Amino acid sequence: MKRFLLFVFVFACLVSVEAQTNGTTHQQRKKVGVVLGGGGAKGAAHIGALKYIEEMGIPVDYVAGTSMGSIIGGLYAMGYSPDELTQLISNMNWSEYIGNKIDRSSMTKEMRQNNSSLVFRIPFSLNNLFNPNSKTSLISQLPNAYVNNSSLINLFNDLCVGYQEEMDFNELPIPFACVATDLVSGNEVVLRKGSVPTAMRASMAIPGVFSPVQIDDMVLVDGGLVNNFPADVLRKMGADIIIGVEITSNKNITADDLQSLPQLFGRLVTNSTSGKREENRALCNSKGNIYMVPDVSGYGMLSFTPEAIDTLVQRGYKKASEFHDQLLQVKREVESSAGGPVGKTLHAPQAKNIAIDTVKVRSISINNVSDAQSRWLLRKGNLKADKNYTQNDIENAMNVYRGTGCFDEITYNVKEADSLHLSKTLEGVYDLSVNMKPAKPHTVGLGLRYDTEEGAGLLLHLGLNEKKFGGSKFNANIKLCYSPKINLTYTYSVPSAANFSVAYDYRNEHFMALGQNNKNINLHYRQHKASGYISQFHLLNINTSAGLSFSHTSFDQTSLESDSSDYTYFRNNRLLTPFVNFEFDNLDDAYFAKHGIAAHLTGRYNLDLTNTDSIYAWIKRNCWEIGYAFQAYITPRDGKFTMIPQIYGRFAFNDPIYYNQWNTYGGEIEGRHLENQMPFIGFNTVEATDDMVTLFRADFRYNFYGKHYATLMYNILLDWDMIPFIKDGLEPTRTIIGAQGAGIKYAYNSPIGPISFTLHWSNRQTEDESDRKYENYFGAYFSFGYTF
């Protein structure tokens, strides 16, 4: 019995020693938590502080954050090192995520036209809109924020591969929590389980800027509204020692410091959370804890440039280094309680970042669309199962889907594939799931413009079923100005085939034209046009169409000299016109492109239905037309200097007998008053030219500051005297320089359209072409807003 008791005593002592060296002591050592406050781009300073804390050899056992602090903290909790975080944050194109941009090269032609002519578009649905018992109204269907969830959720999902599923955040490499605000109850919500990307996205959802995140019955927005520095959350997680990094300013606020939306929002957060903030500051300032405030002066919430991020990281590192002695004391306390050195410990594998890693995708599912739509989307996005993909491959497909304009949100996640036979995951093999949220089908929009040629103008837009994937669609565009225009188009879309369209166009044009003896005339004509055509459904960068149109054009004779034979061309006419169009456009911007090509080629055959003359006379009145244009944007080394060579040309076979068939040039906008009008820098009036004409132009644009541009322009018009060649089979007799022009333009890329001012010069021919006399003209042109 004594031996047995002795054995039990010795065994208990051994277990006690083992527990002290391996288990119990580790559980008893002091736990360190880091709390990171919100602050937008200024939160990059958190990374520098974390870097210094790591270099000191201090283990981080818990992380809590709000807003930008939740992003930095969440990624750090998933195993990313401070150096990796610096590279991630500085290399992100934040303007795309904040601006909710879609690559222009991925858009449909219709979407490009709307984006480059309308200041805004409001989507809406007719469901329950006219139901008297429904609370739905047009106002209630306005977007709830400038940026929706999809871009940021996709960004976070790309960085959180391995931790995208519902989970307890204590299972992360470092336990994590973040704070959001529930708009339903107005209460603080501490997120410690669920989807990590969704939690980070909810914590930084600035109201009005980023759309809220709905989780269960809660509508979550930025946690900074209730707790922008959640040190108390860290204490509840189990932290014995708290290291707080807050992004704030000790400067006295004046009215001059509250002039922008980010400044106002930041002040609102500060005022609304002042009580909670002081409590948490006091907690960090208590004995044994650390409270640091990096210097972020000179930077704002949206200072996301790589240079700004690098500077902010360095300032965070510098501030942490000023607490060297206090941090050293924390390290000693932790090691003392642990009974020895303690390093950084991750309790789970680091998250996978598909931005730099390739993943093998076993299966692809596209949700909330029909099977036919799913097949089309997979084909257009070039996605196939059992292939390796990078983030760029997947994002390219998402851009194609966004470019259709048919979906409000497109989110995806890449998760480890489940084994078919075992309750395990297949290491290195993933499933791609794409979630589509159909857009409200209809839109209304408005465009605004003013220029010195035409005065003020409004564009009213209505699109019924415009954002539907296929089927019947109707668009109406009404231009209200000195020269009003109307376009009504019905389209039936078959995604697997093409678009089948019928359209009606009306234009009531008033403009200055150069008449006989270089006398300006105020030309006025009306035109009704009906057309039917077939075009492809969605072919990136290329648009082709073929069809038939009928137009009736009538000229106002009151402004013309009736006794001049030259004005016999201004006669009313009816034309039946088969046509084909080909367009290529891969420009990266509609107005200030740096790279890409824009080109179009048009062929028409005009059948004159005005009179019923003899067959011979009727055939002579019919006219072939070929028009073309080419622009290339070349920016060496993606710098500030852009070269833009251009060429425009039109050939007419058989003499056109009506003015609306003639080749014309003048003004800065192609096709502004007449379909055959080529742009020309040098004068704002419209001038007729020969049947065969080519215009060469070169622009040299320099982005000298921010969104400010200066452009030098030169163009020259060549009239080809082709009449002998057409009539008698002879060679052309001569080439005549019809006009030269040059100009200098200042332009500013404003949020509601370009603002530009041009000074220009030209020397136009004034006498019979055999004398080749020219006269100098000087002028100016101002415009504001998108072109329509």
Side-chain angles (χ1 to χ4, degrees), residues 384-396:
K384 296 180 180 179
D386 295 321
K387 284 183 61 178
N388 292 331
Y389 291 97
T390 64
Q391 180 194 39
N392 284 339
D393 297 328
I394 299 173
E395 273 299 321
N396 287 339

Side-chain angles (χ1 to χ4, degrees), residues 471-703:
S472 295
K473 304 180 181 183
F474 175 79
N475 280 277
N477 290 286
I478 302 174
K479 178 181 178 181
L480 302 177
C481 63
Y482 185 62
S483 295
K485 296 181 177 69
I486 297 175
N487 169 262
L488 308 175
T489 303
Y490 168 81
T491 299
Y492 189 81
S493 293
V494 182
S496 60
N499 291 331
F500 301 88
S501 303
V502 292
Y504 167 76
D505 290 275
Y506 169 77
R507 57 200 305 169
N508 188 348
E509 295 285 355
H510 299 77
F511 59 94
M512 297 301 297
L514 191 66
Q516 188 182 28
N517 299 322
N518 293 322
K519 179 181 178 182
N520 284 333
I521 57 175
N522 186 9
L523 191 60
H524 176 207
Y525 79 88
R526 296 182 182 89
Q527 184 181 81
H528 300 266
K529 182 191 234 182
S531 56
Y533 55 92
I534 301 174
S535 59
Q536 91 288 332
F537 177 74
H538 186 72
L539 189 59
L540 293 182
N541 305 324
I542 296 175
N543 184 69
T544 58
S545 61
L548 181 69
S549 69
F550 171 79
S551 64
H552 178 260
T553 307
S554 57
F555 291 91
D556 182 357
Q557 302 291 328
T558 58
S559 61
L560 305 176
E561 298 177 13
S562 58
D563 59 344
S564 172
S565 60
D566 284 353
Y567 295 118
T568 59
Y569 291 96
F570 299 95
R571 290 181 293 168
N572 299 345
N573 58 85
R574 295 187 297 272
L575 301 175
L576 184 67
T577 306
F579 64 87
V580 293
N581 292 322
F582 173 83
E583 299 176 36
F584 178 83
D585 181 355
N586 68 344
L587 303 182
D588 53 8
D589 188 84
Y591 293 96
F592 298 95
K594 298 181 70 173
H595 304 284
I597 291 172
H600 67 77
L601 176 66
T602 300
R604 291 197 291 258
Y605 183 64
N606 295 314
L607 297 164
D608 186 9
L609 304 182
T610 308
N611 298 308
T612 56
D613 296 335
S614 66
I615 293 295
Y616 177 74
W618 178 73
I619 292 175
K620 289 195 65 177
R621 292 200 309 271
N622 299 336
C623 174
W624 285 95
E625 298 177 33
I626 296 177
Y628 58 90
F630 175 87
Q631 303 172 347
Y633 290 76
I634 305 166
T635 304
R637 299 182 179 180
D638 203 29
K640 294 180 176 292
F641 177 70
T642 302
M643 298 175 289
I644 314 170
Q646 304 168 62
I647 183 172
Y648 303 86
R650 302 199 66 85
F651 294 162
F653 302 91
N654 279 3
D655 291 342
I657 62 173
Y658 303 116
Y659 187 79
N660 49 294
Q661 295 177 283
W662 283 6
N663 295 331
T664 56
Y665 66 105
E668 293 197 6
I669 301 174
E670 183 180 9
R672 178 163 198 171
H673 300 296
L674 295 150
E675 285 188 279
N676 296 353
Q677 181 181 346
M678 295 175 290
F680 186 83
I681 299 300
F683 54 88
N684 298 326
T685 56
V686 176
E687 182 171 353
T689 184
D690 253 353
D691 304 337
M692 315 292 174
V693 63
T694 303
L695 190 154
F696 295 97
R697 175 172 165 178
D699 291 3
F700 303 93
R701 189 184 69 206
Y702 185 69
N703 179 200

Side-chain angles (χ1 to χ4, degrees), residues 63 92 127 148 170 189 227 269 289 331 349 423-424 439 462 576 583 622 675:
V63 179
M92 288 177 186
N127 293 339
N148 64 27
N170 285 327
V189 176
N227 192 354
V269 169
N289 302 306
K331 179 182 179 181
S423 58
K424 297 181 180 180
L462 172 65
L576 184 67
E583 299 176 36
N622 299 336
E675 285 188 279

Side-chain angles (χ1 to χ4, degrees), residues 239-255:
D240 302 300
I241 301 172
I242 296 176
I243 301 174
V245 186
E246 186 178 15
I247 305 302
T248 188
S249 174
N250 295 322
K251 176 186 174 184
N252 292 326
I253 299 296
T254 67

